[in-house]
């Protein structure tokens, strides 16, 4: 890893062949800016690598590092350019006086906008979920098969939520390969997966009061779709925590995930196995679509990810006696509150929600949780949330509204809210006709991926879900909140009052 503050000017390298790709989450940034930042000569790169090496842990203090472009150089590989900024907006990207981190990846695989290798060769390897195969995958995660020509240890595996992209959580280098493969910004922390609660306590450095609450919640909800955040032990690399000093841990319930963690013998850092910002994967084929050009083993499991959306994330703070929900998932706030109230050792804790809205900024405790980008879980086609008022108006006047637009649109519905559009749109699916959050959550990512494959589609309309109207006093396990969050982020928080 190399810290660079200056880059060759564009005109010095006009004759070089550069294949560069912009991360889709940084749309609207001037392409010329990245060309000015490109180092294209192989000899220059080799010199920089030889003379200016920097450990990832030394870079972790720059809390606002963000991947903004990937440059592919023939015979060398890909270089990810990352800039340091004090704001989460893209307005400042383009200024010349910025600190960058240049990280070479060792495979010649896909760029951020293409899941296949530049040469067309797919480097990912699909493996079965047999005991012998998982034993080999565990050895790979430990680094037993690492060579100078094959440095990757990445293994993608199913959990009950989504497919994860796993690496040894105690190795900074191995975790760095996760960020490179996903084009993931370095300020987005990783969730660490353990087989048992006893393994988690060695990775936390929480006070006694926090540990009481952590033990209660782990005993009630682990293994399962709940991630618990607390101060990190010194053995946890700062790249895993994104420099926050807090580590997110969970114990998955999927039998393949549990078998793989035990086979590896190390905790596994594992975000979703997809391009950063793209729709999360719930099948092995989804992983291959996004990361087929990466050097990664993909465990092919017969049973799909049953929950279908990422885990609930909650931070435990013993000083304030507050458990803060940072991301909605299958475990509801009410369920956690009841568990804490039943145990006298963790009495006095209050569970609150601080999930970042799709239009808000990442700050405070929310910064220690992944999945907080404004545009996230998004298919490769523009999405809009249609407001409830607009949906009601369309029921009576859809034929006069915008039939031409609808002929190029895919509609993803929930409970028939946008059913009036079905006869006029290009394609239509309802996540749950009977408004069942569990059913909707189990197929939401598969449906979002389907929408980008519909030929001729240039937009996707999504329903607005008003939580207060839908709950009506019933408990849905938090999944309705999760479905609403994923749809909102897929549309970058954009809600429209008329079709466009």
């Amino acid at each position: 890893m190399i810290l660079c503050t200056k880059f060759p000017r564009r005109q010095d390298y006009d004759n070089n062949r550069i294949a560069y790709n912009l991360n889709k989450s940084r749309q609207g940034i001037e392409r010329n800016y990245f060309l000015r930042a490109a180092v294209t000569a192989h000899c220059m790169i080799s010199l920089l690598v030889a003379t200016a090496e920097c450990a990832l842990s030394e870079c972790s203090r720059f809390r606002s590092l963000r991947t903004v472009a990937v440059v592919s150089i023939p015979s060398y590989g890909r270089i990810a350019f990352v800039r340091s900024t004090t704001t989460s907006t893209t307005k400042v990207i383009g200024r010349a006086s910025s600190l960058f981190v240049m990280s070479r990846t060792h495979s010649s695989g896909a760029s951020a906008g293409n899941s296949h290798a530049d040469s067309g060769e797919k480097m990912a390897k699909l493996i079965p979920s047999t005991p012998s195969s998982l034993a080999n995958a565990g050895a790979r995660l430990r680094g037993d098969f690492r060579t100078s020509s094959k440095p990757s240890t990445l293994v993608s595996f199913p959990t009950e939520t989504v497919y994860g992209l796993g690496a040894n959580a105690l190795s900074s280098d191995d975790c760095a390969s996760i960020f490179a493969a996903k084009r993931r910004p370095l300020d987005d922390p990783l969730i660490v997966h353990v087989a048992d609660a006893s393994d988690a306590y060695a990775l936390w450095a929480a006070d006694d009061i926090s540990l009481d609450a952590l033990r209660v919640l782990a005993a009630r909800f682990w293994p399962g779709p709940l991630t618990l955040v607390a101060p990190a032990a010194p053995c946890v690399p700062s790249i895993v925590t994104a420099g926050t000093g807090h580590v997110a841990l969970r114990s998955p319930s999927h039998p393949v995930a549990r078998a793989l963690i035990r086979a590896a013998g190390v905790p596994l850092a594992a975000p979703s196995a997809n391009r950063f910002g793209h729709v999360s994967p719930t099948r092995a084929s989804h992983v291959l679509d996004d990361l087929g050009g990466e050097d990664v083993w993909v465990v092919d499991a017969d049973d799909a990810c049953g929950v279908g959306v990422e885990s609930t994330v909650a931070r435990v703070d013993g000083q304030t006696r507050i458990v803060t929900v940072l991301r909605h998932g299958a475990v509801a706030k009410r369920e956690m509150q009841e568990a804490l109230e039943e145990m006298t050792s963790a009495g006095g804790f209050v569970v609150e929600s601080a999930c970042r809205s799709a239009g808000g900024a990442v700050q405070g405790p929310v910064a220690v949780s992944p999945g907080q980008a404004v545009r996230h879980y998004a298919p490769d086609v523009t999405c809009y949330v249609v407001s409830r008022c607009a949906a009601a108006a369309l029921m009576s006047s859809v034929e006069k509204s915008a039939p031409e637009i609808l002929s190029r649109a895919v509609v993803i519905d929930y409970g028939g809210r946008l059913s009036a559009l079905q006869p006029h749109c290009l394609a239509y699916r309802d996540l749950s006709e009977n408004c069942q959050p569990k059913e909707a959550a189990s197929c939401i990512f598969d449906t979002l991926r389907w929408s980008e494959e519909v030929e001729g589609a240039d937009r996707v309309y999504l329903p607005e879900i008003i939580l207060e109207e839908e709950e009506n006093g019933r408990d849905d396990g938090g999944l309705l909140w999760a479905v609403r969050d994923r749809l909102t982020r897929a549309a970058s928080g954009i809600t429209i009052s008329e079709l466009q």
Side-chain angles (χ1 to χ4, degrees), residues 284-304:
S285 60
H286 296 166
V287 180
L288 294 175
D289 287 342
D290 276 21
L291 304 179
E294 300 296 332
D295 187 1
V296 54
W297 289 8
V298 182
V299 180
D300 189 11
D302 294 333
D303 50 340

Side-chain angles (χ1 to χ4, degrees), residues 101 153 199 221 269 304 324 374 416 471 499:
V101 175
T153 65
D199 301 324
F221 300 106
T324 307
V374 173
E471 288 178 327
L499 297 185

Side-chain angles (χ1 to χ4, degrees), residues 69 144 313 344 368:
D144 294 357
V313 178
T344 56
V368 303

Side-chain angles (χ1 to χ4, degrees), residues 225-276:
L226 174 63
T227 295
L228 297 172
V229 181
C235 64
V236 179
S238 56
I239 189 174
V240 172
T241 68
T244 64
H246 288 71
V247 62
L249 300 173
R250 91 174 184 95
S251 177
S253 63
H254 197 291
V256 172
R258 297 182 63 75
L260 179 63
I261 296 171
R262 289 195 170 97
V266 293
L268 301 182
S272 56
N274 59 315
R275 288 183 282 117
F276 181 76

Side-chain angles (χ1 to χ4, degrees), residues 383-397:
C383 295
Y384 302 96
V385 172
V386 179
S387 70
R388 288 291 294 271
C389 294
L394 288 170
M395 296 294 286
S396 59
S397 60

Side-chain angles (χ1 to χ4, degrees), residues 400-417:
K400 300 178 181 179
S401 299
E404 183 179 351
I405 290 179
L406 285 172
S407 67
R408 305 191 307 273
V410 171
V411 175
I412 296 177
D413 208 351
Y414 179 77
R417 286 165 176 72

Side-chain angles (χ1 to χ4, degrees), residues 26-102:
R26 296 293 175 267
Q27 292 178 357
I29 304 171
E30 291 185 358
R31 292 155 65 132
N32 289 341
Y33 176 72
F34 296 113
L35 284 174
R36 289 198 298 269
V39 181
T40 62
H42 188 119
C43 60
M44 179 175 294
I45 296 169
S46 300
L47 178 62
L48 288 169
V49 171
T51 59
E53 190 165 330
C54 175
L56 276 167
S57 58
E58 296 175 6
C59 302
S60 63
R61 65 181 182 271
F62 298 106
R63 287 285 314 285
S64 297
L65 293 176
R66 289 187 177 275
T67 303
V68 292
V70 175
V71 178
S72 295
I73 299 178
S75 78
Y76 179 76
R78 295 185 313 283
I79 294 179
F81 288 89
V82 190
R83 83 180 299 281
S84 175
T85 173
T86 57
T87 175
S88 60
T89 66
T90 60
K91 294 181 180 179
V92 300
I93 295 179
R95 293 179 181 173
S97 57
S98 303
L99 176 68
F100 282 77
V101 175
M102 186 177 73

